[in-house]
Amino acid sequence: MNVGIGARVKRKEDKRFITGKGKYTDDVRVENQAYAAFVRSPHAHAKVKGIDKSAALAMEGVIDVLDGGQLTGDGIGNIICGWAVTSKDGSPMNMGPWSALATDRVRYVGDAVAVVIAESQALARIAAEAVEVEYEVLPAVASAAKALAAGAPQVHDNAPGNLIFDWEIGDAAATDAALAGAAHVTEISLTNNRLSPNPMEPRSAVAIYDAAEEHYTLYTTSQNPHVARLVLSAFYNVAPEHKLRVIAPDVGGGFGSKIYIYPEEITCLWASMKTGHSVKWTGDRAEAFMTDAHGRDHVSTARIGFDANNRITGFKVDTIANFGAYMSLFSSAVPTYLYATLLSGQYDIANIHANVRAVYTNTVPVDAYRGAGRPEACYLVERIMETAARELGVDPAELRRINFIRAFPHQTPVIMNYDIGDFEANLDQAMAAADVAGFAARKAEAAGRGKLRGLGYSSYIEACGIAPSAAVGSLGAGVGLWESAEVRVNPVGTIEILTGSHSHGQGHETTFAQIVAERFGLPIENVAIVHGDTDKVQFGMGTYGSRSGAVGMSAIVKAMDKVEAKVKKIAAHVLEASEDDIVIEGGEVKVAGTDKAMGWHEVGLAAYTAHNLPPEMEPGLKESAFYDPANFTFPAGTYICEVEVDPETGTVEIVQFTASDDFGTIINPMIVEGQVHGGIAQGVGQALLEQVVYDDDAQLITGSFMDYAMPRADDLPSYNVNHASTICPNNPLGMKGCGEAGAIGSPPAVINAITDAIGNNNLAMPATPLAVWKAIQAAG
Amino acid sequence: MTEVTMTVNGRKVRRDVPDETLLSEFLRESLRLTGTHVGCDTTQCGACVVHVNGAAVKSCSALAVALDGAEVTTIEGLAPNGELHPMQKAFNDNHGLQCGFCTPGMIMTSVDMVEKAKAAGKTLTEAEIRHGLEGNICRCTGYHNIVKAVAQAAQEM
Ligand code: FES
Ligand code: FES
């Protein structure tokens, strides 16, 4: 059976999950286990005047109650944003202080003020209720636009007017001139709705302090345990890196929200040292809504100009991005370098200018959520293209075709250099698979049943493979974004791959093993993937931004190149042949054109017995590599959504969802399709169902699954997923990344379809039945 | 503290627990059967579904002390002889899981759904499977492959 590149290999990791043997952080329980519960602010904005711990401390089984004064007093550092973005006037971004436990002021509902450590989880929670915090309530603001208005409540003293930065990209004058000279200008204003990532596993931490060694171990729900260790050491001063081990075991989904190092993990580590107990915290869903970084929340206006031949001449964008109460780890990069750099979409646009204002509000911090900036860009570009097509009276597919970039590499006016793609191939494939030709008949048939049928396109592009370290460094990133890998061939010939990528659903234990099995002709069972433990894997940047394939696997390939070179040297020496004549095939290392061969395991054994190695060669067979990408990768494609709307109720049914993606080389189509399915579901969730709501006092209204509509099985269709690929020229396997495409490409396709069906272009996400019904009424 | 006796995965167990202990906590903390997951606090997500006296129940919504004498099957007990249950196999065959967190609840719900349909002599349609999964949230898979898995297992069970 073929298990190599392109094979639909069933997942090796499934067995433990389907039998209930997965090991997630909350499943970890150690000796001397104590439990943490946080005392959280019920106010969106308040001064902390005093904390009375006496009632809680008097409870039997309460070990301690700790507060922000003690935490900062012990030198625990403020939580930081790791990407410096500079305002257009040259001033640095205004980052306000964020202590893991608030000291004098709370800035959003859920901001942690103190922590109770107790002998049971139930007791810790009861005791947390008994901690009395005296607040002086301050006026609060939830909306970014309102936060910018004169007289708005000030969230941080060092960010006047709540402005974190006022940033721009592109040539404003040239873009204005292009729009002034355009034959037609289309204008649009829209909101990209605020979302809660909601991985099904709540965040959790188990911190263990070994006083004799002054050493900490942290089990945590992280997408990037090494980054967590780095930040905890270098910035939060919890412990130096060699005294801190971070383990991210099985992690139940992340979608961005488990990239960041949150107050709870920091506090648990510190509290384990303070109390001498191992400290465990597992959030409940209410805490997830209240503390996991939210996503999106942009308000934008945009203008796009066309010449008389319907070619785009200029595109101008103004965006306000809500950052919440504090700057989360990558927050500043999301609405800038991950957003405005993708505003060219799939189109040849000579002039683009975008201005982005980042704003503090009294809400949960906002950071990367599946797609991170690229969905916001795609939604804006693809909504305005569809709108323009309607205004111009041009078929929306045709308007896209007229403007597609056709020659590569293509330098956009907003930094990105697209390396390769064939946008028309994806459009054609999607149109054929969706039977666009038959749509008119289906629409007429639906009309006979009293239903409004509509069809919407979205031709998305994104930048993945994040990212060339020097490039992101020049743009303000505080870290390099390479990946590392180690290939260990054991004396019996089995292989362990140690990777800095982290799997929390992506199936690395299978796909990473596939590329090794293919390369050395070994059974996939002989390859094990090791990840998620800073004591085992030397370093890694983790998994986000669809980077595990394009960056993580590239590092494995580089390490395999080194292993292969050494294997060939050993075999050439033993078999008395020239290195150039050695080939590795089907688990054998052979001299080409002869019957001289060694088994793969024999080479492994030879390397470790070291009885007969080439002169000067070190024993052993283990190689490592760091891979720094040469460019971003550019997954792209076209999605077509077909809906039926019930005009009586406003209910939307997605009757067909068709995708054509270009992900470059695909290692395992089954897993890639699964990623697309999940991404589309999240995008459809954003388009139809999901919305974080705050009231005017910045109280969180959507604090549970009763109030926040998650997509469920009967809200969604089956998906028609197709691939038309171009091979990425910038990494050894030709991969582009597939993890975010579905969430990026699908929202505009859904809204374009509904607005097509109802004949009113003015419809915001989420398109709930009420919103759609109102839009139908407004259209008359 | 109240003494509770149950048969869990075929084994008789007896524990003293506080009266407010949920079945999910009893399974996870007292018995250390951590395959049953907790994904919410409002009985909405279904990550915690187990079988109680043969029917699917959200274990976060039942008190352990109220189930004295009950027969409980968790995900760990679905394949007692080590051979996968057809539903477990179908989830693997169809890539019906990614992070695996919703999976135990999905599988336990699906087994109950198919068994009930069989008992009623019915073949489940895609729409019925989707409706039957309404109480179980998955954030990873978009449900496409879960629906396929349940349909396959329904053929094989
Ligand atoms: S944990 Fe039981 S339904 Fe969510
Ligand atoms: S597989 Fe991750 S929530 Fe379902």
Side-chain angles (χ1 to χ4, degrees):
Chain A
M1 191 181 85
N2 176 26
V3 296
I5 293 173
R8 305 178 79 91
V9 179
K10 286 181 208 164
R11 296 205 320 172
K12 294 174 68 180
E13 49 269 78
D14 281 2
K15 185 155 184 205
R16 65 178 185 272
F17 297 124
I18 57 181
T19 55
K21 300 293 185 200
K23 193 179 185 198
Y24 300 87
T25 301
D26 188 55
D27 303 339
V28 174
R29 188 164 76 187
V30 297
E31 283 300 301
N32 194 20
Q33 187 72 71
Y35 297 83
F38 287 84
V39 179
R40 300 187 182 280
S41 170
H43 306 294
H45 197 188
K47 282 187 182 151
V48 180
K49 308 292 277 186
I51 302 173
D52 183 353
K53 307 173 182 176
S54 54
L57 282 169
M59 291 175 160
E60 196 185 319
V62 170
I63 296 161
D64 210 343
V65 180
L66 301 166
D67 62 38
Q70 291 168 287
L71 179 111
T72 51
D74 279 356
I76 300 297
N78 282 333
I79 299 171
I80 49 116
C81 172
W83 195 306
V85 169
T86 306
S87 282
K88 57 192 177 192
D89 66 4
S91 58
M93 62 187 190
N94 298 320
M95 179 159 56
W98 183 10
S99 172
L101 295 174
T103 49
D104 55 341
R105 219 158 122 192
V106 286
R107 294 182 173 86
Y108 68 98
V109 173
D111 213 349
V113 179
V115 65
V116 174
I117 311 297
E119 283 168 7
S120 79
Q121 187 175 40
L123 179 62
R125 288 190 174 172
I126 292 165
E129 296 284 323
V131 175
E132 300 231 5
V133 183
E134 191 192 332
Y135 295 103
E136 179 189 324
V137 178
L138 300 170
V141 61
S143 123
K146 284 184 185 161
L148 283 176
Q154 279 291 295
V155 182
H156 285 277
D157 299 338
N158 66 333
N162 296 314
L163 190 65
I164 299 169
F165 57 73
D166 184 355
W167 173 90
E168 68 175 349
I169 190 169
D171 187 332
T175 306
D176 287 339
L179 287 169
H184 178 85
V185 174
T186 291
E187 193 167 333
I188 199 167
S189 295
L190 49 80
T191 298
N192 205 285
N193 42 328
R194 186 181 184 107
L195 305 175
S196 180
N198 277 316
M200 292 315 298
E201 178 204 26
R203 285 191 297 114
S204 179
V206 179
I208 304 157
Y209 180 63
D210 178 338
E213 302 290 340
E214 296 180 350
H215 181 278
Y216 296 79
T217 302
L218 176 69
Y219 289 86
T220 188
T221 46
S222 174
Q223 300 177 216
N224 43 342
H226 291 88
V227 174
R229 184 179 64 156
L230 169 68
V231 175
L232 285 162
S233 294
F235 298 99
Y236 308 154
N237 306 325
V238 170
E241 278 178 285
H242 68 298
K243 294 287 189 186
L244 174 58
R245 176 184 186 184
V246 179
I247 303 170
D250 287 329
V251 173
F255 315 113
S257 70
K258 291 173 181 168
I259 296 172
Y260 326 114
I261 294 80
Y262 289 89
E264 291 81 7
E265 291 99 288
I266 300 169
T267 303
C268 284
L269 280 165
W270 169 70
S272 71
M273 179 273 293
K274 257 339 225 191
T275 63
H277 287 259
S278 156
V279 174
K280 177 171 183 172
W281 170 79
T282 298
D284 56 24
R285 187 56 54 183
E287 285 180 296
F289 276 106
M290 240 189 298
T291 65
D292 290 5
H294 288 169
R296 320 285 192 253
D297 205 345
H298 283 195
V299 178
S300 299
T301 57
R303 302 175 72 221
I304 192 165
F306 293 85
D307 69 14
N309 298 318
N310 297 327
R311 297 190 67 98
I312 303 167
T313 57
F315 186 33
K316 193 168 169 81
V317 173
D318 182 71
T319 294
I320 302 173
N322 192 336
F323 272 44
Y326 301 102
M327 290 188 77
S328 177
L329 191 64
F330 288 133
S331 55
S332 57
V334 176
T336 52
Y337 297 111
L338 295 174
Y339 164 70
T341 55
L342 276 308
L343 286 171
S344 199
Q346 298 190 353
Y347 312 112
D348 188 358
I349 308 178
N351 305 289
I352 299 176
H353 178 259
N355 196 96
V356 179
R357 283 171 291 170
V359 182
Y360 279 125
T361 61
N362 295 109
T363 61
V364 175
V366 178
D367 206 325
Y369 164 58
R370 200 172 196 169
R374 291 150 290 167
E376 295 91 317
C378 177
Y379 187 63
L380 192 59
V381 172
E382 290 305 292
R383 283 290 289 130
I384 205 166
M385 284 300 281
E386 199 89 7
T387 305
R390 289 171 193 170
E391 289 179 5
L392 291 165
V394 182
D395 176 77
E398 187 56 27
L399 187 65
R400 287 174 169 84
R401 239 181 252 281
I402 291 169
N403 287 285
F404 276 155
I405 294 162
R406 288 161 192 280
F408 297 90
H410 174 88
Q411 178 64 54
T412 73
V414 280
I415 297 181
M416 290 300 174
N417 190 289
Y418 298 167
D419 52 4
I420 196 165
D422 186 346
F423 304 145
E424 195 153 30
N426 291 113
L427 178 66
D428 287 341
Q429 186 184 53
M431 288 178 76
D435 184 25
V436 171
F439 173 70
R442 294 194 294 277
K443 188 177 170 77
E445 185 277 332
R449 289 181 282 109
K451 296 285 171 65
L452 306 171
R453 196 148 173 140
L455 185 131
Y457 295 86
S458 165
S459 294
Y460 74 90
I461 190 163
E462 51 164 331
C464 294
I466 297 172
S469 296
V472 294
S474 74
L475 301 176
V479 288
L481 289 170
W482 41 262
E483 194 46 88
S484 83
E486 192 175 315
V487 176
R488 290 185 187 165
V489 184
N490 297 313
V492 294
T494 58
I495 296 183
E496 281 141 18
I497 302 293
L498 289 78
T499 170
S501 300
H502 185 276
S503 184
H504 30 280
Q506 293 86 345
H508 296 171
E509 287 167 55
T510 304
T511 51
F512 287 15
Q514 283 181 257
I515 63 169
V516 180
E518 160 136 336
R519 179 73 174 265
F520 298 132
L522 300 173
I524 198 167
E525 293 74 28
N526 290 14
V527 184
I529 307 300
V530 178
H531 70 106
D533 184 340
T534 60
D535 262 13
K536 293 182 179 165
V537 179
Q538 193 225 330
F539 210 93
M541 298 312 297
T543 290
Y544 41 82
S546 309
R547 67 195 300 277
S548 295
V551 191
M553 283 200 202
S554 295
I556 296 172
V557 170
K558 265 187 85 174
M560 286 198 296
D561 290 344
K562 297 183 192 177
V563 166
E564 180 174 326
K566 186 161 181 180
V567 163
K568 285 185 170 169
K569 280 198 176 74
I570 295 170
H573 179 74
V574 174
L575 299 171
E576 296 175 338
S578 155
E579 239 177 277
D580 297 338
D581 292 336
I582 304 288
V583 291
I584 304 175
E585 242 174 45
E588 281 197 319
V589 186
K590 309 178 191 172
V591 183
T594 74
D595 57 0
K596 289 207 276 183
M598 293 172 79
W600 172 262
H601 60 284
E602 290 177 291
V603 181
L605 199 60
Y608 285 91
T609 57
H611 294 162
N612 183 21
L613 292 178
E616 312 292 325
M617 180 182 275
E618 291 177 15
L621 193 50
K622 171 185 97 130
E623 300 287 349
S624 63
F626 286 70
Y627 172 79
D628 199 350
N631 189 1
F632 292 88
T633 62
F634 297 96
T638 288
Y639 290 171
I640 299 177
C641 179
E642 197 166 323
V643 298
E644 265 187 28
V645 180
D646 182 341
E648 302 296 322
T649 62
T651 310
V652 174
E653 187 195 351
I654 296 180
V655 287
Q656 187 172 222
F657 198 102
T658 308
S660 169
D661 295 296
D662 177 356
F663 296 141
T665 303
I666 289 172
I667 307 296
N668 184 329
M670 176 192 82
I671 285 177
V672 167
E673 287 158 16
Q675 288 291 313
V676 175
H677 298 160
I680 294 172
Q682 289 182 0
V684 170
Q686 169 165 31
L688 295 182
L689 299 162
E690 297 179 44
Q691 166 85 56
V692 172
V693 179
Y694 282 92
D695 72 9
D696 284 344
D697 297 323
Q699 283 290 333
L700 179 64
I701 303 298
T702 46
S704 81
F705 286 150
M706 316 273 276
D707 320 293
Y708 184 92
M710 291 283 280
R712 294 174 190 257
D714 60 353
D715 296 317
L716 295 167
S718 287
Y719 319 99
N720 179 352
V721 175
N722 307 272
H723 304 289
S725 299
T726 57
I727 301 307
C728 178
N730 281 309
N731 59 58
L733 292 168
M735 299 177 74
K736 299 189 182 183
C738 65
E740 296 161 293
I744 293 168
S746 55
V750 175
I751 299 299
N752 287 340
I754 301 171
T755 52
D756 178 53
I758 65 177
N760 181 353
N761 195 47
N762 191 9
L763 179 70
M765 297 191 291
T768 60
L770 178 63
V772 173
W773 184 85
K774 281 184 175 167
I776 294 169
Q777 303 309 309
Chain B
M1 290 281 186
T2 302
E3 188 183 276
V4 183
T5 308
M6 283 182 213
T7 306
V8 178
N9 300 333
R11 268 187 38 223
K12 205 154 204 149
V13 296
R14 181 171 304 153
R15 294 286 189 283
D16 286 325
V17 294
D19 290 356
E20 64 274 15
T21 305
L22 301 169
L23 177 58
S24 52
E25 289 176 280
F26 181 74
L27 295 169
R28 287 184 57 79
E29 301 299 331
S30 300
L31 303 182
R32 297 300 285 152
L33 291 169
T34 55
T36 298
H37 296 154
V38 175
C40 74
D41 39 22
T42 52
T43 67
Q44 289 285 309
C45 77
C48 62
V49 170
V50 299
H51 294 175
V52 177
N53 299 329
V57 164
K58 287 181 170 170
S59 64
C60 72
S61 66
L63 291 171
V65 294
L67 294 173
D68 195 42
E71 293 233 5
V72 175
T73 306
T74 70
I75 187 72
E76 290 95 337
L78 198 58
N81 326 313
E83 198 183 317
L84 293 180
H85 186 282
M87 191 63 74
Q88 292 171 311
K89 181 175 168 296
F91 269 67
N92 177 232
D93 286 349
N94 293 282
H95 188 31
L97 62 149
Q98 291 181 26
C99 78
F101 196 80
C102 73
T103 310
M106 283 286 178
I107 289 176
M108 298 310 279
T109 297
S110 301
V111 167
D112 183 58
M113 184 197 325
V114 171
E115 280 174 353
K116 281 193 177 129
K118 296 249 138 171
K122 276 182 47 183
T123 314
L124 290 164
T125 63
E126 178 182 335
E128 284 165 339
I129 293 171
R130 287 183 178 277
H131 187 69
L133 293 172
E134 206 187 28
N136 291 70
I137 303 177
C138 174
R139 193 53 149 170
C140 297
T141 64
Y143 305 101
H144 181 111
N145 287 338
I146 292 178
V147 173
K148 273 170 61 185
V150 177
Q152 176 188 315
Q155 299 281 316
E156 293 170 356
M157 273 169 69

